[in-house]
Every structure is written in structure tokens, then in C-alpha cells.
Amino acid sequence: MRRLTIVLGVLVAGCRCSSALNPSLEIGQYAHTAWTVRNGFSLGNIYAMAQTPDGYLWLGGEFGLFRFDGVRTTAWQPPPGQQLPDNNINSLLVTRDGALWIGTFGGLVIWSGGKLTAPPEEELAKHFVASLAETSDGTVWAGTLREGGGRVCEVRSGGARCSGEDGAFGRAVWAFYEEHPGELWAAAESGLWRLRPGPRKRYPTPSELIGLTQADDGRLLAAVHSGGLWQLAADRLESYPIRAAVHPNQLLQSRDLDANRVLRDRDGGLWIGTVERGLIHVHQGRTDIFSRSDGLSGDIILSLLEDREGTVWVSSTGGLDRFRELPVSTVSAKQGLASDATQSVLAATDGSIWFGAGDTVTRWKDGRTTIFRPTSGLPDDATGSLFQDDRGRIWVSTRHGLSYFQDGSFVSTKLAPGAVHFMTGDHAGNLWLSEENSFIHLLDGRPVQQIAWSELGRHQSAECVLAGREPGGIWLGFWADGGLSYWKGDRLRASYTSADGLGKGEVGDLRLDRDGALWVSTQKGGLSRMKDGRITTMTSRNGLPCDAIHWTMEDETRSLWLYTGCGLVRIARAQLDAWIADPKRKIETTVWDAADGVRLRSSAASGFGPRAAKSADGRIWFVTGEGVQVIDPGHPVVNKVPPPVRIEQVRVNGNPYPLHEGMRLPANVRDLWIDYTALSLAAPEKIHFRYLLEGQDLEWKEVINDRQAQYSNLGPRNYRFRVIACNNSGVWNQTGDTLEFSVAPAFYQTKEFRALCTAVFLALFWVAYQVRVRQLQRQYHLRLEERLDERTRIARELHDTLLQTFQGTVYRFQAARNLFSRRPEEALQTLDAAIAGADSAIAAGRDAIQNLRVRSAEKRLEEQLNVVGRELREAQEGSGHTPAVQVIIEGQPRTLSPLIQDEIYGIARELLRNAFQHARATRIEAEIQYGPKQFQLRIRDDGKGIDRKVLEEGARAGHWGLPGIRERSRRIGASLKLWSETGAGTEVALALPARIAYVNAQRRRKFRLFRRIKVES
């Protein structure tokens, strides 16, 4: 009980918003991480630790010097041509100018500005350096170990001076301590030595001194090997008492301390590293021990260090340990609770905190604890829910009874309900119990009403109950099937489900805020708010990290705290008000998760209430199923130190390159890897990075604890890589680190090569142009030759037909003239024959002239076919057989290529003439289809058809109509199909691709220089 009193007392004493450890906590309440051989940490014994200004933690031990960024350990190698005096490192010191002093088993060296130097003093250059320290005036003090007596050396910029040749210090000087500016002390084998001011003075000790620090009252504290702690009082040494951890009324014996290293942290906590008993922590008279059985890497402590973020580092023979303060602290059986299985927590109005766990109820008040058991008045040994009524009485439910605490003792009632999961009450003395089987109403401790849950349509009890603002009104939240109900008087007044906008899943908690709004925590549907009958629900779509909400609490600033399945969440009041005004708004939250000490639960941690409480000092206490956790919203633990950011290495195609500004990388960078880090050692796993490669990335990329950026196939240009980071508290280092570099071009990426390619391209273009010009010229000449051949043919026809016919006609006219005088009748016959010959010549001449006309420039194809049809009908008039001609158009008419239209017209005219002269049809149709992909022409009639022999032979003897049609079709690249059946008519179909037929289609293709063109001569 005494132990719990101390633990709870210091928890309420106050947290600071700083980067140091809270010394009032026990070691087990800090976040502890151990690196051991089991997880690959095999550096051997680490004898010394130091942190340089760039944030790196340096570890010196039996296998050399290592650099640690909290995630990766890198063996340090001196520059080429230099080496350490010895690979065994015993002491490290970082001076105010940023230099790292390295004390080895064989001498001292200084690493500064990328150079390794050794002091001129032979004593420091060749002997075991046991200790290093820097005083306020900038002097570095070094203590050595050697046979014949250790030395004390003071090193200044002008050189070094050593003393102790007389062996007065014994074999070694193990530590220095500057108590006040100008007052320096040394711990040596021979005892405690005051080196400054004045002449040196020795204070004998029982055995060898191994460490110096400061006591709670500011006096000098000395750690004696196997001899406990001693303090300097009135110019003499006296024993420094330390209370035992298990029995605070007893003192630790000197042999139990067995100190090997000591550290006083910045907030007054005393850390003692022992030889065989692990780590001892002392603060304000309270002692706790942390050993290998608690998770420490080893019980033999070799070194202690507090870094700039307030994290304490411990090295042992088993590895390396880190201790940091968590935003959320845990109180468990290790700190003195009766049980870790705490079911409920209640903050009473008098400032006391009540815990219900197992067979006990624990009260903490005014720094003292009292544990109540069945022997103290509890009805039985199964504690459940807690509640405080308006009269200040603390009600406690157990498995088979109900009692209340009044005037210092528990009073049992005559009620014996089953397990009561939740209790609530109002100002009128009414008390409502959510019992396993029924809903019970008490007034002044006496039963008034008991209603089975089945009567309310439920097969399970309410998970939580809450008195409403109206007298007699009770809100009921149900676990099974979820849902919310409102009870008043003697009946249910309203019920709400997810169909009404309530969050889905089980209802785990209810809370009324000062504005009269009811907040409903659901397990699957987020957090619902009900006011004036209107329900709005906040979910992950609004910015919550997850939708499983266990309970809510409002702090003193009216910010809202939520215990969720993924951590403890804080919503600032401004964000909350903005969401209330606009429920679709996305909010910003702050989340504390497992890395911050929060125990995560997928569902409610207990079946009894309350599961969370806010004490009078503003702290929030909550049960997790394993102890009780507490957070102070008014004084959160915040790491205010922005992390230094460093770019460590660049690798190109797997090969490392030395870092320097303006570095030039080779050509053909297939894979570029940039390693970077941020030196926040408190919680490196929670560091957020943002990086940007200027010249490649368009926006920043954000990653968590990923310390490598990868790029592929970077082109030749200048680049600038930028990386920034924030620590575990979200504090950003906006400056970060940058690296400027360039990628050299390959030969084919140079300006000269591009100029050459341009010249070659222009030359090829000129050649292609010339080829195209010649191609067009050749096509033009071919067309001229075609026209010339055609005109030659027509001229021949004129000569062979028209002229000869006219000449014969002239002869007949002459003959008729000669016969008129002698034989008039014969002359008339000759004259008639001449006239007939003239008519024939005129017809032949007309046909030849029509072959020379270019119609495409004058009329559209459909107009031309209408003209042909009309002429053919006129020619047939009087013959007694004149078929009907119809021209049909389908699709949007488009302009045909002139040459193409000439040929198509010639084909159509011949087909129409044949139909008129030979088919003896009654109806002739010419169908023109302007399709998007092809042009089609169909000529059909209902005449007698074409003789099968003609179809098989391809033409009628002595006639050239069908062969001419096929020849024209092949010339323009058209397909021609002919169908005919005796007595059923004839149909001829001509199809031509749109890209050939139409003018616009040919224009779109005019840049194809080497298009295939079929030319018929």
C-alpha cells in the first residue's frame, strides 16, 4: 500500500511539456527498447557513448567505433592513411566545438572537420585513456590508466600538461566532475581528489571510485566500487542512504548497490548502473530496479548517457537499452495496484480515484491508498461497476450484492442483483442499474421498479446507461445488435438505430456535454452526436483514424478525447466546432498509438463502467484490461527538438559515390539510391520524412521511417535533392538537408549528337522530298500519257469511223448527182443511203466527243446519272418500250475525286446503256451509297438477264462493254461484283474504299510520301 501511495502521488504531481524523462515515474513506466544479439545487435561490450551535434549516437567498445541513428548502426572507419591507436574504445567526449575525442586502450585521438589528429603529449598518445571531461573554460581533462600510476592531463589549445607521476592517483583516474565553474573533482583508484581550485586534495574512500555526480541537495556524490554511494558533507565523505525498492522503510546495503556507472539526468533522476544487479533508479527517496528479468539487455552496466532529447541510454554486456518517457503512463501491479485486471475507474468529487479490480476496491486520496476487500465490507469478491451519487456516496456492485461507501466504510444493501454492468443516477436520489437480466430503478437505495430486458424487446442488458437532462429520463446504449433507447417514466419513449443515422455496431459509451448534446460511441460506425432530435456521425471519412470508438471525454479546454481501436485521439475544439457546423467536413486529429504507450483494444476493455474518468486535476484515467493508463491533456509529453537531417550516401547502379556538393554522376543512371536519416533517437520509428528531387519530382513525397529514395533512368541535367523530417511529436525540421548533383550525358545525349541527328534528319527529309517530287512528276507524266493514249485512240476511231463514213457519204452524194439525169429512181436510193450513212457518222461522232468530256468538274455523279437516264429514255421513245429509271442516294453526299468520278461515270453509263438496249427491263435503279468507310454503286434492272454463256466467257462476241467495265474498275482499285439470272434481272455492285474515293480522305493522307498508287497505262 505504501508503494502504491508513492506511485499515485507522483503521477498527480505534474508532467512537463519537455524533452526530458519524468523522474517521478518508475523505470518500468518508461518506453523501453533493447538491442541485443537476438535481434542482430552484435557490437560486443560498449564502454562509452556520446552524441555529436549532428545528432548521431557514437558507440565505442571492444570492436571499435560505431555510429548509430536509432535504426542503423554503421562501423566508423578513419580516413585513408590514418588509424586509431587501438580498436578498443574506452571513453568518448564531444566538446563544445563539435569535436569527438576518442579515448582508446592505446591512446587519444580527436576527430574534427573530417580529420583525425593526436595530441602532442606522449602520455595521451600511447596509454589507456580511462576518462574524458570538458570544463566550463573549454579545457579538456583526460585520465589515464597505467602501471606505476595513472595521470591527469589538462589539454588546451596551446598543448597538454599531465600530473600524477608520483602515483598519487593510483593505477587509474576513472571520472571527472565539475561541481561549480572552476571547481573540478576526480574519481581515482586512491580516492576522491579535488583538482581545482587551489592545490589538489585527496579524500580517502573505502575502495576505488568509479563515478561522480550530484546529490539531490546539490552536494557531490561519489560512487564507490562495491561500496555504495558517498556524499561530501562538511569537507568529509559520508554514506549516502538509498531506500530499498521492495521495502521503502529499509536502506539498500552497499554490497547491493555495487555501482559501476552513475548518471544524474536533467530532471534530477539518479541512475546507477551496477555490476550484477542491473539498473537502479532513485528520485526523491523512491527507488526502483530494472534488471534483465524485466527486459534489460544485461545486468552488468558499462555506460550511461542522456541525449539531447532527454532519452537515457544504457549499455550492458548484453547490448544497448533506451528509455524514454511516454505520453501515456501505465499504473499496474508492478507499481503497487492490487491487480492488473482493473474493471472500472471512478474520479470522485473529493479528488480521490477509485479502482475496481477482482476482489478489491482501491481508493487513492491525498497521497494515500486504501484497499478494500470483502473483509472490509464488500458484499463479495467480484467487483464490478462504480458510481458516485449526488450525496457523495460511492456505489460498488459485486457479483451478488450492492453496497455504498459512506463515512469511511462500506454499507451493504439488502439487494442481491446479478452482475451490474453500469449504474447512473440523478439529483432526486434515483439510481438505475443495468443488471444482467433486468433494468432496476432504486430510490434512496430501495427498489422501485424492475423490468426484464425482454419486455423492452432486448435479449441482453444495456452496455451503458446515462441519466438524461430531463428528470427521470435515462439513455440506454446496447451492445448486442447496437442501438440507443430513451426511457422515461414507465416506458420507452424513443429508439434509434443506424437507419436513423446512428453509428453502426455496439454502443460502448454515452456522454452528455455542457451544450446538452449526447455523444454515442459505437464500435463499428464512429462517433454519433445527437441534439434536438438530429443525429450526425463522425467516421473515418471525416478524418478519424478508425471507426471503433470505446469512449469519449472532454478536457478542460473542451477538446474531445477518444479512445479508439487504433489509439488515443484528440480533436481540438476549433476542429470539433467546425465539424458540428458542417458534418461533411474533414477534421484534423492528433493520435497517440502503441508507440506512445497506448494499449490498443479492438473492443471495450471491460464489461463494467465507468471505463474512463477525469480527475479534478484534469487527468484522464482509463482501464485497458491490463492496468490503468493516465494522460494529462493539459501537460502532454512533447519532444520539442527538431531532428537533424542528414544525407548519408548516394549509390549509382549499386556503386557508392562520395558525397560532395556539385557531384557529377556518370551517364546512364539506371538506378539511383539516396540514403538519408533524421537524428531523433527517442522514437525513430515514428519519424516522418518528406523528400523532393528538383528536376524530376513534381511534388513532395512523404514516408514514415523509410530512409531511402530510389530513382530510375535519370536524364542528363542538374538536380537538387531535398529532404526534411519531423520527430515523434510532429515537430518539423523545415531546413533539412540538400544535395546538388548532375548526371553526365551519354554520347547520344550530348548537344553535338543531337545537332548531328538534326542534320541527318533534315538531309533525309530533303531526300524524301526530292523522291516525292519525282514520284509526283512520274505520276503526272503517266497521267498525261494515259490522256494522250486515250486521245490517240479516239482520233483513230474518228479516222476509222467518222471520217471514212463521211467520205463514203460524199461518194454516195456524188454518185446520186451523176444518176439524177439518167436513172432518177436509182439516184434517190443512193441519196437515201447517203443520208443514212450521215446519220451513222453523226452518232459515231457524238460518242467519240462524249468520251473526251470531263464531267466531274461540272456535275455530281447522281446528276450525271440522271442526265444519262433521261437521254436514254428520250432515245427509246417511239420504240414502244421505255423503262423507268431511278437514281437512289444513301448517306451524306461527298465530293468524289475527279479522276475517280470519271471512271465511275463511265462504268455506270455503260451499264445503264446495256440495260436499255439489251435487258428489255421495265425498271432500272442506280443506287449510290456514300459510306464512311467505302463508296458503293449498284446498277440493277428487272430485265431478262444476261445469257449464262456470256457470263462464263466474260463478254459477248464482238462486244467490248463488259471487258471495258472490268478494266475501268481495276484501274481505280475498285471491286466489281455481277449477279444475273435468266428472267430475274441483273445487278452489278461496285465498291471503292473511302480513302481512294473521296477528296477529303485523300487530303488527310497526302503526307504519306510513298503511298502505293496503281496506274494503268
Side-chain angles (χ1 to χ4, degrees), residues 219 221 229-233 236-240:
R219 289 185 289 183
L221 191 64
L229 298 182
W230 294 72
Q231 62 181 341
L232 186 65
R236 65 183 182 87
L237 289 173
E238 59 183 31
S239 178
Y240 182 78

Side-chain angles (χ1 to χ4, degrees), residues 493-506:
R493 302 287 179 166
S495 292
Y496 305 91
T497 65
S498 58
D500 302 301
L502 194 71
K504 296 180 180 179
E506 302 86 352

Side-chain angles (χ1 to χ4, degrees), residues 553-561 570-574 576:
M553 190 71 67
E554 191 175 85
D555 65 18
E556 298 302 319
T557 65
R558 300 204 65 195
S559 294
L560 189 64
W561 291 76
R570 176 183 176 271
I571 306 174
R573 188 68 214 181
L576 191 63

Side-chain angles (χ1 to χ4, degrees), residues 202-399:
R202 173 177 174 266
Y203 296 83
T205 54
S207 61
E208 185 176 25
L209 279 185
I210 53 90
L212 298 173
T213 188
Q214 190 178 45
D216 291 338
D217 57 5
R219 289 185 289 183
L220 185 66
L221 191 64
V224 179
H225 184 65
S226 299
L229 298 182
W230 294 72
Q231 62 181 341
L232 186 65
D235 207 36
R236 65 183 182 87
L237 289 173
E238 59 183 31
S239 178
Y240 182 78
I242 296 179
R243 298 184 181 276
V246 179
H247 304 288
N249 294 325
Q250 300 178 8
L251 298 179
L252 277 177
Q253 299 296 316
S254 296
R255 63 176 181 274
D256 295 328
L257 276 175
D258 199 15
N260 193 39
R261 291 289 186 270
V262 290
L263 169 71
R264 174 73 68 177
D265 65 35
R266 66 190 66 175
D267 281 335
L270 178 62
W271 300 72
I272 305 170
T274 69
V275 174
E276 294 180 349
R277 293 171 175 79
L279 199 59
I280 298 175
H281 181 239
V282 182
H283 177 67
Q284 295 182 351
R286 179 176 60 89
T287 304
D288 60 280
I289 299 176
F290 197 82
S291 64
R292 189 169 185 175
S293 61
D294 300 304
L296 195 67
S297 61
D299 284 335
I300 302 176
I301 308 302
L302 303 176
S303 180
L304 298 172
L305 173 73
E306 182 182 23
D307 68 20
R308 62 186 194 146
E309 293 175 289
T311 301
V312 171
W313 296 84
V314 180
S315 68
S316 73
T317 52
L320 181 68
D321 297 81
R322 180 187 66 196
F323 294 91
R324 67 179 179 91
E325 186 178 358
L326 293 167
V328 180
S329 302
T330 300
V331 180
S332 64
K334 290 183 178 180
Q335 284 75 46
L337 280 182
S339 170
D340 284 346
T342 302
Q343 300 276 6
S344 53
V345 58
L346 174 71
T349 55
D350 63 354
S352 60
I353 309 293
W354 295 74
F355 307 92
D359 63 347
T360 65
V361 173
T362 302
R363 180 188 66 177
W364 175 84
K365 185 179 180 182
D366 299 332
R368 296 186 178 184
T369 58
T370 306
I371 298 178
F372 299 93
R373 303 180 185 275
T375 55
S376 308
L378 292 179
D380 55 53
D381 58 358
T383 302
S385 58
L386 303 171
F387 178 72
Q388 183 178 27
D389 62 20
D390 274 7
R391 294 169 56 182
R393 295 180 298 183
I394 306 296
W395 291 80
V396 179
S397 71
T398 59
R399 183 182 304 165

Side-chain angles (χ1 to χ4, degrees), residues 763-926:
L764 290 175
F765 182 81
W766 174 253
V767 171
Y769 173 75
Q770 293 298 322
V771 170
R772 179 58 176 165
V773 168
R774 289 182 174 87
Q775 184 185 50
L776 293 175
Q777 290 175 344
R778 184 168 59 254
Q779 292 173 8
Y780 178 74
H781 290 305
L782 288 174
R783 291 295 184 185
L784 289 179
E785 291 176 4
E786 284 184 11
R787 293 300 182 186
L788 182 60
D789 291 343
E790 183 71 8
R791 282 159 175 75
T792 302
R793 182 185 65 80
I794 294 174
R796 187 184 307 114
E797 289 180 358
L798 290 175
H799 178 270
D800 294 341
T801 58
L802 182 63
L803 295 179
Q804 290 182 6
T805 302
F806 272 115
Q807 187 176 11
T809 302
V810 169
Y811 288 153
R812 287 188 180 94
F813 277 119
Q814 185 65 42
R817 181 181 181 281
N818 295 333
L819 290 174
F820 264 116
S821 61
R822 290 175 295 154
R823 297 188 293 275
E825 291 182 357
E826 186 177 349
L828 288 174
Q829 291 177 354
T830 303
L831 186 60
D832 289 339
I835 292 172
D839 289 340
S840 177
I842 290 171
R846 184 187 298 113
D847 291 341
I849 292 171
Q850 285 180 345
N851 286 335
L852 289 173
R853 294 166 69 185
V854 180
R855 298 170 180 82
S856 59
E858 299 174 357
K859 297 180 181 180
R860 300 185 65 84
L861 179 62
E862 52 266 27
E863 296 175 350
Q864 292 175 321
L865 296 186
N866 279 321
V867 171
V868 171
R870 185 166 57 252
E871 291 177 351
L872 292 173
R873 282 178 57 84
E874 292 174 353
Q876 290 288 92
E877 289 180 358
S879 66
H881 179 76
T882 305
V885 179
Q886 183 180 9
V887 178
I888 302 171
I889 301 174
E890 291 188 7
Q892 180 67 33
R894 298 177 64 177
T895 302
L896 296 174
S897 173
L899 294 177
I900 298 296
Q901 183 171 329
D902 282 348
E903 301 295 346
I904 294 175
Y905 170 72
I907 293 170
R909 184 187 62 199
E910 183 66 29
L911 290 172
L912 290 173
R913 180 179 294 168
N914 287 339
F916 267 88
Q917 292 180 357
H918 307 295
R920 300 192 61 79
T922 60
R923 182 177 179 82
I924 302 173
E925 291 182 355

Side-chain angles (χ1 to χ4, degrees), residues 425-626:
D426 61 13
H427 299 292
N430 293 293
L431 189 66
W432 287 270
L433 314 179
S434 175
E435 188 258 348
E436 280 186 318
N437 302 309
S438 59
F439 182 42
I440 302 173
H441 176 201
L442 306 179
L443 179 61
D444 294 330
R446 293 186 295 274
V448 174
Q449 191 178 24
Q450 185 168 357
I451 304 167
W453 292 115
S454 58
E455 295 181 28
L456 301 180
R458 295 283 181 170
H459 61 274
Q460 199 174 52
S461 64
E463 177 70 13
C464 50
V465 294
L466 179 67
R469 295 197 177 275
E470 297 180 354
I474 301 297
W475 290 97
L476 307 171
F478 293 92
W479 189 263
D481 303 326
L484 177 70
S485 296
Y486 184 66
W487 172 276
K488 185 178 180 183
D490 57 354
R491 61 190 177 90
L492 283 179
R493 302 287 179 166
S495 292
Y496 305 91
T497 65
S498 58
D500 302 301
L502 194 71
K504 296 180 180 179
E506 302 86 352
V507 175
D509 182 67
L510 300 172
R511 184 180 60 83
L512 278 170
D513 65 17
R514 64 186 73 178
D515 297 326
L518 177 68
W519 295 85
V520 185
S521 302
T522 67
Q523 294 295 296
K524 299 176 182 176
L527 178 63
S528 296
R529 179 181 184 269
M530 177 187 289
K531 187 175 183 183
D532 301 329
R534 178 173 177 262
I535 300 177
T536 54
T537 299
M538 181 190 302
T539 67
S540 54
R541 292 190 298 272
N542 299 106
L544 291 181
C546 56
D547 290 329
I549 314 299
H550 304 325
W551 52 256
T552 65
M553 190 71 67
E554 191 175 85
D555 65 18
E556 298 302 319
T557 65
R558 300 204 65 195
S559 294
L560 189 64
W561 291 76
L562 296 76
Y563 185 36
T564 73
C566 50
L568 197 60
V569 180
R570 176 183 176 271
I571 306 174
R573 188 68 214 181
Q575 292 288 321
L576 191 63
D577 288 339
W579 175 80
I580 292 173
D582 178 14
K584 295 183 179 179
R585 178 188 177 94
K586 196 158 187 176
I587 59 172
E588 296 179 1
T589 64
T590 304
V591 181
W592 289 266
D593 55 20
D596 301 300
V598 180
R599 299 189 189 278
L600 304 183
R601 299 298 303 262
S602 61
S603 61
S606 166
F608 301 94
R611 290 181 280 270
K614 185 175 70 173
S615 56
D617 59 3
R619 280 175 168 74
I620 298 175
W621 304 72
F622 56 100
V623 299
T624 63
E626 188 177 355

Side-chain angles (χ1 to χ4, degrees), residues 772 775-776 779 894 932-933 993-1013:
R772 179 58 176 165
Q775 184 185 50
L776 293 175
Q779 292 173 8
R894 298 177 64 177
K933 294 185 178 179
R995 59 185 175 83
I996 298 177
Y998 303 137
V999 171
N1000 292 339
Q1002 290 185 347
R1003 287 177 181 172
R1004 287 193 295 269
R1005 297 168 53 84
K1006 65 183 179 181
F1007 291 106
R1008 293 182 57 183
L1009 299 179
F1010 303 102
R1011 181 174 74 248
R1012 179 182 178 185
I1013 297 178

